[in-house]
Amino acid sequence: MNTVYSYACKDCEGMEACPGKVIAATKDEVWKLMELHAVVAHGEDPSSWDADTRAYLGTLIKPA
């Protein structure tokens, strides 16, 4: 079986109430979906995320 990856927004500090979750075949796909979720659900601009934020978010991507 191939590994798939997931990200649950509720795992992010300060986002515990958010039900958003993405699952995809690759980490790159998860990143794209995370960024889209941030824009649509939270009004964030992912291009403003600094290296520390991206590193932290990367730790939240897990094998599903």
Side-chain angles (χ1 to χ4, degrees):
M1 180 196 271
N2 293 336
T3 300
V4 296
Y5 298 91
S6 68
Y7 165 80
C9 196
K10 68 180 181 177
D11 293 340
C12 184
E13 186 177 330
M15 299 292 180
E16 293 82 5
C18 182
K21 183 173 183 177
V22 299
I23 300 171
T26 68
K27 287 183 180 182
D28 286 340
E29 287 179 277
V30 171
W31 271 109
K32 296 289 185 194
L33 294 168
M34 286 168 61
E35 290 171 347
L36 180 61
H37 172 76
V39 170
V40 173
H42 303 293
E44 293 183 24
D45 178 3
S47 68
S48 71
W49 295 344
D50 62 20
D52 290 338
T53 299
R54 287 191 172 272
Y56 168 66
L57 291 172
T59 68
L60 303 178
I61 299 173
K62 310 285 186 196

